[in-house]
Amino acid sequence: MTTNCDVPSGGADGADAFMASTKPQLVQVEAETRPDFKELKKIEKKRREILLRAELPFWRIIMFWSGTCLKEIASDSLVWLTISIYVGIRIYANRIDYVPESVEMLSKTNIGILGGFLSFFLVLFVNQTNGRFLDMYGFSKACSGRLQDIAGVARAQLPPEVGQKLVRHFNAAHVAGYVGLNAIGMGSPYSKTFFFDHYNADNKLVTPLLTPEELNVLSHHDMDNSGLCMKELVTWCQMDVVQARKDGYLDSYQEKFMHSKILDFRAAMDGMYDYTDQPPHFFYIHFLVLLSALYLPLFAIDTAYAAGWGEDKNIGLDILQGLIVFLQCVFVVGLRSLATNMIDPYGDDLEDLSVINYVEGTLEICSTIMNARQQ
C-alpha cells in the first residue's frame, strides 16, 4: 500500500535533509510532553511534605495514602489474584461438609522454604537500590557544594563582573546537567523549555544564567537529549578560571584549587549519569518478579487449605488466615515496589529526589555569597 507523505525527493541526501529539518520540531514536541514548571513545583511540594512525615507518630503515619506502599499494593494485580485464590478456596470449603483428599496431600508441602529464600533476595534488592539512591543523593549535594566553593573564591578573589560570569556558567552547567539526564536510563521530567529556561530567566543572580549570545553558541547541543551541553559549560568554567589567572586575579595555587572543584563537580554529575545509565540487572529483577508470582499464589493455596475443613471450619479462623495472606502480599509486593521506586531517583515520583530544592537552594546560596558585604 502506498501512502502520501511530504518527504522531499533526492534519495538519501533529501531524506537526511528532511530529518534534519524536522528534528527541532520533534525535540520541541518531546519537551512539551514533560511536566511544565508549575507541575514540577507541585510535585516538589508534595515531596518535601512527605519527607517531614518521617518523625510523626505511628497513628498518623498509618493514615497516609500518597507516598506509601498501599497505593502500589492496591494497583498490583498479583495481590488481587492471591487474595482471590484464598477467598475462592475458603468459599468452597464452607460449602462442603467433607474433607477432600487433596488436604492431606497439601499438608506435606513446605512452602515456607521458598518464602525464606524470597525474603532474603527481596531484602538484598532493597538494600542495593537504597545504596544507589543514597549515592545519587550524595552526588546531587556534592554538585551543590562544589558550586558554593567556587562562588566563595570568586566573590573573595575576582572582580565582580569576572566572578559573576564564572558563577553564572557554573550554575547553568548545574541546571543543564539535570535536563541532560533525559538522554539516558528512564528519562527525566526536567526539560530545557520548562526547567532550564525558567531558571535562566528567573534566578537569584543579578543576570540570566546565560546571555542570548551564549545560548546561541550552545544551540548545536540538544540539551533535552544529551549531557554534552553540561560538559561544554563545565569547560567554559575552566576557561574562565584560566583567563582570570592570565589577567592576574588568581595565583597558581588558587587556579589549581578552582580547577579541582570544577572537576569534582563534573565527576559528581558523571556519577549521576553513570548510575542512571546502568540500573540493576533486568535478569535479577525478572528473577524476583517470577519468584513473587509463583510464591504468593502457592502461599494463598497452602494457607487456605490449612484454615480448616469439615467440622474444623471456623469463620474467625478464615478471617485471620486471610489477614495473614494479605500481610504476606504487603511484605512481598511492598518490598519489591520500594526497591523499584528507588532505582531512578530523578523521575517524577513522589519518592524521588528533590531536584528543584537542590537547584533553587544552590542559586540562593550563590546569590548570597556573591552579594556578601562586610560593611
Side-chain angles (χ1 to χ4, degrees):
M1 182 177 65
T2 304
T3 59
N4 294 324
C5 58
D6 298 328
V7 179
S9 60
D13 292 340
D16 290 343
F18 174 74
M19 293 303 295
S21 65
T22 58
K23 183 176 180 181
Q25 301 174 13
L26 295 175
V27 171
Q28 181 68 18
V29 170
E30 181 183 351
E32 291 176 353
T33 60
R34 284 182 276 174
D36 59 19
F37 190 78
K38 183 178 179 180
E39 182 65 23
L40 290 173
K41 286 289 287 185
K42 183 179 178 181
I43 296 172
E44 187 79 2
K45 181 179 179 181
K46 291 181 179 178
R47 285 177 182 162
R48 304 309 295 179
E49 291 174 352
I50 290 174
L51 290 177
L52 298 177
R53 298 176 185 173
E55 297 183 3
L56 293 176
F58 86 94
W59 59 269
R60 291 191 60 188
I61 290 177
I62 205 169
M63 298 300 293
F64 287 106
W65 174 262
S66 63
T68 70
C69 65
L70 295 178
K71 188 175 181 180
E72 297 288 339
I73 292 169
S75 60
D76 195 292
S77 58
L78 180 59
V79 173
W80 295 107
L81 173 63
T82 302
I83 295 175
S84 299
I85 291 173
Y86 174 82
V87 171
I89 294 175
R90 292 317 302 164
I91 290 175
Y92 174 71
N94 282 275
R95 293 182 62 181
I96 62 175
D97 295 327
Y98 61 92
V99 180
E101 295 181 0
S102 56
V103 174
E104 179 66 22
M105 296 172 58
L106 286 172
S107 65
K108 299 177 182 179
T109 61
N110 190 358
I111 195 69
I113 295 177
L114 179 58
F117 279 112
L118 179 59
S119 299
F120 170 77
F121 287 118
L122 282 172
V123 172
L124 180 62
F125 185 37
V126 170
N127 185 59
Q128 290 174 341
T129 55
N130 184 61
R132 286 170 49 91
F133 187 92
L134 293 178
D135 285 345
M136 285 192 267
Y137 169 74
F139 290 141
S140 290
K141 299 304 288 184
C143 289
S144 177
R146 302 299 74 76
L147 269 160
Q148 296 173 47
D149 294 339
I150 291 296
V153 177
R155 175 65 186 88
Q157 197 67 31
L158 301 178
E161 64 278 5
V162 178
Q164 283 283 357
K165 180 181 178 182
L166 172 59
V167 173
R168 284 195 301 104
H169 290 166
F170 213 179
N171 275 285
H174 188 209
V175 180
Y178 286 114
V179 175
L181 285 171
N182 185 61
I184 55 177
M186 300 180 185
S188 163
Y190 309 105
S191 63
K192 179 182 183 298
T193 303
F194 298 126
F195 192 70
F196 182 87
D197 288 350
H198 171 82
Y199 288 114
N200 189 50
D202 183 14
N203 58 73
K204 304 293 183 180
L205 302 176
V206 177
T207 57
L209 299 179
L210 296 177
T211 65
E213 293 77 15
E214 291 170 335
L215 283 171
N216 186 58
V217 172
L218 294 170
S219 61
H220 63 286
H221 292 303
D222 181 6
M223 189 185 297
D224 281 304
N225 295 285
S226 172
L228 295 179
C229 186
M230 177 270 293
K231 297 282 190 178
E232 181 163 343
L233 283 167
V234 170
T235 304
W236 283 14
C237 295
Q238 292 184 278
M239 294 167 66
D240 291 338
V241 171
V242 170
Q243 188 60 48
R245 172 74 173 89
K246 291 179 179 178
D247 293 340
Y249 301 130
L250 301 171
D251 58 30
S252 59
Y253 175 80
Q254 292 166 332
E255 179 189 17
K256 182 179 179 180
F257 173 82
M258 296 185 80
H259 277 304
S260 68
K261 296 301 179 181
I262 294 171
L263 294 178
D264 286 345
F265 168 89
R266 190 175 69 182
M269 273 288 176
D270 286 342
M272 291 191 292
Y273 277 71
D274 293 341
Y275 270 98
T276 305
D277 186 54
Q278 181 57 63
H281 292 294
F282 174 74
F283 187 97
Y284 186 41
I285 296 174
H286 180 270
F287 171 69
L288 290 176
V289 171
L290 179 62
L291 278 183
S292 302
L294 293 175
Y295 169 71
L296 285 179
L298 288 176
F299 180 81
I301 294 172
D302 185 67
T303 305
Y305 269 82
W309 294 80
E311 297 180 355
D312 295 331
K313 292 180 295 186
N314 185 295
I315 189 64
L317 183 59
D318 286 345
I319 296 174
L320 179 61
Q321 293 286 68
L323 181 60
I324 292 174
V325 171
F326 175 72
L327 289 177
Q328 192 75 338
C329 291
V330 171
F331 176 77
V332 173
V333 177
L335 282 179
R336 193 190 69 206
S337 300
L338 171 62
T340 53
N341 282 350
M342 290 191 293
I343 290 176
D344 178 28
Y346 297 111
D348 55 4
D349 295 330
L350 295 180
E351 301 81 18
D352 290 336
L353 294 175
S354 303
V355 171
I356 290 180
N357 180 266
Y358 307 153
V359 170
E360 293 185 350
T362 303
L363 286 169
E364 185 173 6
I365 292 171
C366 288
S367 175
T368 301
I369 293 173
M370 298 306 293
N371 294 316
R373 298 288 187 273
Q374 285 187 323
Q375 295 180 352

